[in-house]
Amino acid sequence: MEFLDSIKQTYKRSLDFTGRTGRSEFWWFALFTLIGGIVTSVADVMILGYVSEDWGPLNIIFSIITTLPGLAVGARRLHDINRSGWWQLITLTIIGVILLIIWWATIGESKKNPHGPT
């Protein structure tokens, strides 16, 4: 899946926490949110004059726009390796983030699982 196709697909399914998502869609959207966060932070500092330690309005808006689709694509990515999307709650712990990154990078099951076909 290409970069722009991934972002379009993720936003189309932004309220869909069912089904499965491949690694490429997930990681392209993660790259989009990283780049978007950096760009909006720089814009807040350079254009709007906010201090870099503060959350500026552009960064807050971008975060709001990407949070729900990010959670949905993360849940679908976990479904692809036959795990519940609720596992994302372990991001509340430091060690949980590491475990989630490993799971998100794992190759999905090639056969049908309880969350749907490939």
Side-chain angles (χ1 to χ4, degrees), residues 65-83:
I65 291 172
T66 58
T67 296
L68 194 57
L71 289 171
V73 76
R76 291 193 309 269
R77 179 69 202 119
L78 289 172
H79 291 167
D80 195 40
I81 61 167
N82 202 16
R83 300 217 184 269

